Amino acid sequence: KKLKLNNNKLEYLNESLFIDIKELIELDLSFNFVLNLDNIIFNNLKNLEILNLSSNNLSILSQEMFQNLNELKRLDLSIN
């Protein structure tokens, strides 16, 4: 299952935004204006394999943010 939220001019993502979509495999948040992400935003995405955060305005990310993403195979943080 894929969720594509790219190119939506998003600036803020609530920490509970993905809490009820545990079956998600791919998440695309690229080409937005996100500055910060809460450390627990991806905690329930245990099946996530692909995460695209490219082309945002992210400058600091905590490694705790990714600690529960055991299935993660691809992480794109380019152009931030």
Side-chain angles (χ1 to χ4, degrees):
K1 307 208 167 137
K2 298 179 183 183
L3 178 58
K4 296 191 175 269
L5 297 173
N6 55 312
N7 290 306
N8 281 294
K9 299 181 182 177
L10 298 172
E11 294 181 13
Y12 173 76
L13 302 174
N14 186 286
E15 67 183 31
S16 62
L17 182 62
F18 306 116
I19 202 156
D20 290 325
I21 52 174
K22 298 175 185 177
E23 67 280 351
L24 195 63
I25 301 294
E26 181 175 344
L27 176 58
D28 188 348
L29 294 166
S30 62
F31 294 94
N32 284 296
F33 299 104
V34 180
L35 288 169
N36 297 305
L37 291 169
D38 192 277
N39 284 349
I40 64 168
I41 192 164
F42 304 128
N43 272 7
N44 288 331
L45 299 179
K46 304 202 186 294
N47 295 311
L48 193 69
E49 294 180 8
I50 301 168
L51 176 57
N52 189 346
L53 296 170
S54 67
S55 300
N56 278 283
N57 292 319
L58 296 166
S59 59
I60 297 175
L61 297 174
S62 168
Q63 70 183 57
E64 288 86 21
M65 184 181 307
F66 307 108
Q67 72 184 7
N68 290 326
L69 300 179
N70 296 327
E71 299 301 319
L72 192 65
K73 294 176 176 51
R74 190 175 351 158
L75 173 62
D76 190 343
L77 296 170
S78 61
I79 312 174
N80 273 293

